[in-house]
Amino acid sequence: MKLEETDRLEAFSDGVLAVIITIMAFNVKPPAGASAAALGGVLPRILVYVLSFVIVGIYWNNHHHMLHAVKHVNGPILWANTHLLFWLSLVPFATAWMGENHFAARPVALYGVVLLMAANAYYLLSRCLIHLHGKDSLLAAALGNDFKGKVSIAIYASAIALSFANRWIGFGLYWVVALIWLLPDRRIERVITE
Amino acid sequence: MKLEETDRLEAFSDGVLAVIITIMAFNVKPPAGASAAALGGVLPRILVYVLSFVIVGIYWNNHHHMLHAVKHVNGPILWANTHLLFWLSLVPFATAWMGENHFAARPVALYGVVLLMAANAYYLLSRCLIHLHGKDSLLAAALGNDFKGKVSIAIYASAIALSFANRWIGFGLYWVVALIWLLPDRRIERVITE
Amino acid sequence: MKLEETDRLEAFSDGVLAVIITIMAFNVKPPAGASAAALGGVLPRILVYVLSFVIVGIYWNNHHHMLHAVKHVNGPILWANTHLLFWLSLVPFATAWMGENHFAARPVALYGVVLLMAANAYYLLSRCLIHLHGKDSLLAAALGNDFKGKVSIAIYASAIALSFANRWIGFGLYWVVALIWLLPDRRIERVITE
Amino acid sequence: MKLEETDRLEAFSDGVLAVIITIMAFNVKPPAGASAAALGGVLPRILVYVLSFVIVGIYWNNHHHMLHAVKHVNGPILWANTHLLFWLSLVPFATAWMGENHFAARPVALYGVVLLMAANAYYLLSRCLIHLHGKDSLLAAALGNDFKGKVSIAIYASAIALSFANRWIGFGLYWVVALIWLLPDRRIERVITE
């Protein structure tokens, strides 16, 4: 038996996302010494890791749901997916830079730029999929007008600008987007069940 | 042919666990110099690596068995699984900190905290799966009252506290839990065979 | 149900390519300090990373298409594939050396050597596949005379030599090859659809 | 559709082997400076990497063939496989130690110890598989008396001892074993085809 093309697309994406997550954990280097202060010094990095882990987890989750409703892939879709993986592959870099500089304004803003580009790439991928499957497809119905996706992009853009005013606003807004998505998104599940 | 959703959940989990294992091995840095003393200096880290390898291997094994009896997944299950992967992704960090500090009390206790949280996350995942499949399902029968899982959590909690009295008690108790699980768990296999 | 042998070949290749991509991203170390100058210092490495990411992405894409048209594998094919993965596994090394030395002539040439060997290995793999499936097979028809593959090899060979005259010519030619492949290759898709 | 248990065993093994290969490549750090001498200084590590790559490639290849003839797995088989992965996960460590110390006797011997243990683990795994499938199974017929496996173990044991007399003998013998396996092993293929 031969797997579908979508299965290999998912497998490759899963592989990249799995390594991204583990590389980020690997970047949280154990502190020198066994004191509580040493452990405390690692806390900012752990805090950033939690955020990045949640964000990559959300992408895996949404990607999983979206691809499950997909029947065909073509060249543009493969590249739209690769494009998404490119921006997600920069998340460990942005995470490490932000964690090492204790949330200085510029790293916080750059982190937002990477998330903004990834969100755009995800939106682009969903449009390529709908283009192939048709506006009347299950997938198009399930994604709807993609309100959450558009709101996320708007919040990320604001967060980047506001990071230079107050970095904690930027960092806080990244959490806001994560929480928007953590609320279970029953759109696709509901349409498929119906 | 299209894979089941459970297949992708397993594939992603396998990817993360595979990278975790290899990252831990990568953290066992080769010593400077080729002397026997240099190699001896790495022994504590190798010892810790063996323990962590066995623990992650047990998780893969149990996860494999549990998911094999699963027929459906939903949003909460995906997130319960991601939550488990989060705590397991911190195992390399805790392993490295304990190995580098030659089993100082605090790193030994932190290692236990990570294992305790992972054990809790696994228990939570099994409850989510039973909730979806029903109390009369094959899965619920196979897991039973999860005696081993509850005992593990109790031992981990004790080990964390006892690490501050004597770190070797903590380290020894982690091995006790590992050995409890290494004894073949025929529960699921038996029920399925029947 | 049992997967085809080709599925496992693809899965292993996907795993290696996924880790290669993420390792290259990991090699782009965050700069010391949060200044714009610090970020600017990382730009050459990011530029090289983009090129290597695109190249590995093209390999995944082409590999995916080629293997999708494959029905059987044998020993020589498994080793031709492993041989290809070997040269691709050296891409992060060549990428890092070129990025760290700001495009000095020798690292730029070595990068080309690795790409040349990978292109040769890919060509060899395609010949092994055609040899097994026959000259009248769908696969042979789809690959045709492999014009792009031969042109790539010629350009890489030229780029290596020209790197010592002017390193930017070499670096530019690597981009030329990447762009040749980024133009969608509808050969295989077309033949299969017909 | 649900994958077989053997599929997940292969997927997990593939993931670990893929990361092992790429981690070893990652350990070949680019030299400081762009001179030919700098590149020459990395040659010993590249030479060792080639050997380790070939060895892991052989394991993947043989594992792939063996598991393809397998129909069932049980608890002992899962653990025999995990045990094999443990020893293979130490290959990057042994590779790095040998490469960094320019083939000093002790690292060369340790490299052999890891290979010996991995070969033993592979033999053990094949016995567990034959035990489950029966002595009259396709798998048992295909593996036969496992002449190559036994010869490999004998050569590795000799190489470890001889490394202390002359390290190049040890290193040479590791290549001998690799070449024995690189010669195509048609045993399993032949029996299956018949």
Side-chain angles (χ1 to χ4, degrees):
Chain A
M1 185 220 62
K2 191 91 182 157
L3 290 179
E4 294 281 340
E5 280 200 285
T6 55
D7 287 316
R8 190 166 178 199
L9 186 66
E10 295 183 33
F12 181 63
S13 308
D14 282 359
V16 172
L17 293 181
V19 188
I20 286 174
I21 276 181
T22 331
I23 286 287
M24 290 192 305
F26 177 71
N27 271 332
V28 183
K29 300 285 181 199
S35 68
L39 188 60
V42 189
L43 268 186
R45 290 195 192 197
I46 291 182
L47 191 64
V48 180
Y49 171 59
V50 172
L51 175 58
S52 294
F53 183 94
V54 168
I55 289 173
V56 175
I58 290 169
Y59 270 103
W60 179 76
N61 222 310
N62 289 344
H63 194 266
H64 171 90
H65 272 92
M66 187 162 70
L67 268 284
H68 198 67
V70 161
K71 300 210 181 312
H72 317 289
V73 293
N74 58 11
I77 287 170
L78 292 183
W79 278 106
N81 191 65
T82 307
H83 176 238
L84 170 63
L85 294 179
F86 173 76
W87 289 107
L88 291 177
S89 80
L90 290 182
V91 169
F93 170 81
T95 301
W97 202 38
M98 185 160 75
E100 288 173 14
N101 288 286
H102 297 75
F103 304 94
R106 195 168 283 107
V108 172
L110 183 83
Y111 187 83
V113 169
V114 170
L115 296 185
L116 177 64
M117 298 306 288
N120 275 323
Y122 190 84
Y123 182 79
L124 192 65
L125 173 61
S126 71
R127 288 309 108 176
C128 289
L129 287 167
I130 290 177
H131 183 77
L132 183 67
H133 289 73
K135 294 204 173 168
D136 304 326
S137 65
L138 197 65
L139 185 74
L143 285 171
N145 65 354
D146 198 13
F147 181 68
K148 274 190 183 180
K150 289 171 187 164
V151 165
S152 303
I153 289 172
I155 296 181
Y156 282 143
S158 316
I160 294 165
L162 291 169
S163 293
F164 291 101
N166 186 323
R167 57 207 186 168
W168 297 111
I169 296 178
F171 189 63
L173 286 174
Y174 304 147
W175 273 106
V176 167
V177 176
L179 293 175
I180 287 176
W181 286 100
L182 274 178
L183 299 176
D185 185 354
R186 304 212 183 274
R187 280 181 304 170
I188 294 180
E189 285 185 55
R190 193 187 308 132
V191 175
I192 290 177
T193 317
E194 289 167 6
Chain B
M1 185 219 63
K2 191 88 182 160
L3 291 178
E4 294 280 340
E5 280 200 286
T6 55
D7 288 315
R8 190 166 180 198
L9 186 66
E10 295 182 32
F12 182 62
S13 308
D14 282 0
V16 171
L17 293 181
V19 188
I20 285 173
I21 276 182
T22 331
I23 286 287
M24 290 192 304
F26 177 71
N27 272 331
V28 183
K29 299 286 181 201
S35 68
L39 188 59
V42 188
L43 270 186
R45 290 196 193 197
I46 291 181
L47 192 65
V48 180
Y49 171 59
V50 173
L51 175 59
S52 293
F53 183 93
V54 168
I55 290 173
V56 176
I58 290 168
Y59 271 104
W60 180 76
N61 221 311
N62 290 343
H63 194 267
H64 171 90
H65 272 92
M66 187 163 69
L67 268 284
H68 198 68
V70 161
K71 301 212 180 311
H72 319 288
V73 294
N74 59 10
I77 287 170
L78 292 183
W79 277 106
N81 192 66
T82 307
H83 176 239
L84 170 63
L85 294 179
F86 173 76
W87 289 107
L88 292 177
S89 80
L90 290 182
V91 169
F93 170 81
T95 302
W97 202 39
M98 184 160 73
E100 287 173 14
N101 289 285
H102 297 75
F103 305 94
R106 195 168 285 107
V108 171
L110 183 81
Y111 187 83
V113 170
V114 170
L115 296 184
L116 178 64
M117 297 306 288
N120 275 323
Y122 191 84
Y123 182 80
L124 192 65
L125 173 61
S126 71
R127 289 309 109 179
C128 289
L129 287 166
I130 290 177
H131 182 76
L132 183 66
H133 288 74
K135 294 204 172 169
D136 304 325
S137 64
L138 197 65
L139 185 76
L143 286 170
N145 65 355
D146 198 13
F147 182 68
K148 275 190 183 180
K150 288 172 187 161
V151 166
S152 303
I153 289 172
I155 296 181
Y156 282 144
S158 315
I160 294 166
L162 291 169
S163 293
F164 291 100
N166 185 322
R167 56 205 186 168
W168 297 110
I169 296 178
F171 189 62
L173 286 174
Y174 303 147
W175 272 105
V176 168
V177 176
L179 293 175
I180 288 176
W181 286 100
L182 275 179
L183 299 175
D185 186 353
R186 304 211 183 277
R187 279 181 304 170
I188 294 181
E189 286 186 53
R190 193 187 308 133
V191 175
I192 289 176
T193 317
E194 289 166 7
Chain C
M1 185 219 60
K2 191 89 181 159
L3 290 179
E4 294 280 339
E5 279 200 286
T6 55
D7 287 318
R8 189 167 179 198
L9 186 65
E10 296 183 31
F12 182 62
S13 308
D14 282 359
V16 172
L17 293 181
V19 187
I20 286 174
I21 277 182
T22 331
I23 286 288
M24 290 191 305
F26 177 71
N27 272 332
V28 183
K29 300 286 181 199
S35 67
L39 188 60
V42 188
L43 269 186
R45 291 196 191 197
I46 292 181
L47 191 64
V48 180
Y49 171 59
V50 172
L51 175 58
S52 294
F53 183 94
V54 168
I55 289 172
V56 175
I58 289 168
Y59 270 103
W60 180 76
N61 222 310
N62 290 344
H63 194 267
H64 171 89
H65 272 93
M66 187 162 71
L67 268 284
H68 198 67
V70 161
K71 299 209 180 314
H72 317 289
V73 293
N74 59 10
I77 288 170
L78 292 183
W79 277 107
N81 192 65
T82 307
H83 176 238
L84 170 63
L85 294 180
F86 173 75
W87 289 107
L88 291 178
S89 80
L90 291 183
V91 169
F93 170 81
T95 302
W97 203 38
M98 185 161 73
E100 287 173 14
N101 289 286
H102 298 75
F103 303 94
R106 194 169 284 107
V108 171
L110 183 82
Y111 187 83
V113 170
V114 170
L115 295 185
L116 178 64
M117 298 306 288
N120 276 323
Y122 190 85
Y123 183 79
L124 192 65
L125 173 61
S126 71
R127 290 309 109 177
C128 289
L129 287 167
I130 290 176
H131 183 77
L132 183 67
H133 288 73
K135 294 204 173 169
D136 304 326
S137 65
L138 196 65
L139 185 73
L143 285 171
N145 64 355
D146 198 13
F147 182 68
K148 274 190 183 179
K150 289 171 187 162
V151 165
S152 304
I153 289 172
I155 296 181
Y156 282 143
S158 316
I160 294 166
L162 291 169
S163 293
F164 292 100
N166 184 322
R167 58 206 186 170
W168 297 111
I169 296 179
F171 189 63
L173 286 174
Y174 303 148
W175 273 106
V176 168
V177 176
L179 293 175
I180 288 176
W181 285 101
L182 275 178
L183 299 176
D185 186 354
R186 304 212 183 275
R187 281 180 305 170
I188 294 179
E189 285 185 55
R190 194 188 308 133
V191 174
I192 289 176
T193 316
E194 289 167 6
Chain D
M1 186 218 60
K2 191 89 183 161
L3 290 178
E4 293 282 338
E5 279 200 287
T6 55
D7 287 316
R8 189 167 180 198
L9 186 66
E10 296 183 31
F12 182 61
S13 308
D14 282 359
V16 171
L17 294 181
V19 187
I20 286 174
I21 277 182
T22 330
I23 286 288
M24 289 192 305
F26 178 70
N27 272 332
V28 183
K29 299 288 181 199
S35 68
L39 188 59
V42 188
L43 270 186
R45 291 196 192 196
I46 291 181
L47 191 65
V48 181
Y49 171 59
V50 172
L51 175 59
S52 294
F53 182 94
V54 168
I55 290 172
V56 176
I58 290 168
Y59 270 104
W60 179 76
N61 222 310
N62 290 344
H63 194 267
H64 171 89
H65 272 93
M66 187 162 71
L67 268 283
H68 198 67
V70 161
K71 300 211 181 312
H72 318 288
V73 294
N74 59 11
I77 288 171
L78 292 184
W79 277 106
N81 191 66
T82 306
H83 176 238
L84 170 63
L85 294 179
F86 173 76
W87 289 108
L88 291 177
S89 80
L90 290 182
V91 170
F93 170 80
T95 302
W97 203 38
M98 185 160 74
E100 287 172 15
N101 289 286
H102 298 75
F103 304 94
R106 195 169 284 107
V108 172
L110 182 82
Y111 187 82
V113 170
V114 170
L115 295 184
L116 178 64
M117 298 306 288
N120 276 323
Y122 190 84
Y123 183 79
L124 192 65
L125 173 61
S126 70
R127 291 309 109 178
C128 289
L129 287 166
I130 290 177
H131 183 78
L132 183 67
H133 289 73
K135 294 203 172 171
D136 304 325
S137 64
L138 196 65
L139 185 75
L143 285 170
N145 64 355
D146 198 13
F147 181 68
K148 274 191 184 179
K150 288 171 187 162
V151 166
S152 303
I153 289 172
I155 296 180
Y156 282 143
S158 316
I160 293 166
L162 291 169
S163 294
F164 291 100
N166 185 323
R167 56 204 186 169
W168 297 111
I169 296 179
F171 189 62
L173 286 174
Y174 303 147
W175 272 106
V176 168
V177 176
L179 292 175
I180 287 176
W181 286 101
L182 274 179
L183 299 176
D185 186 353
R186 304 212 184 277
R187 281 181 304 172
I188 294 180
E189 285 185 54
R190 194 187 308 134
V191 175
I192 288 177
T193 316
E194 289 167 7

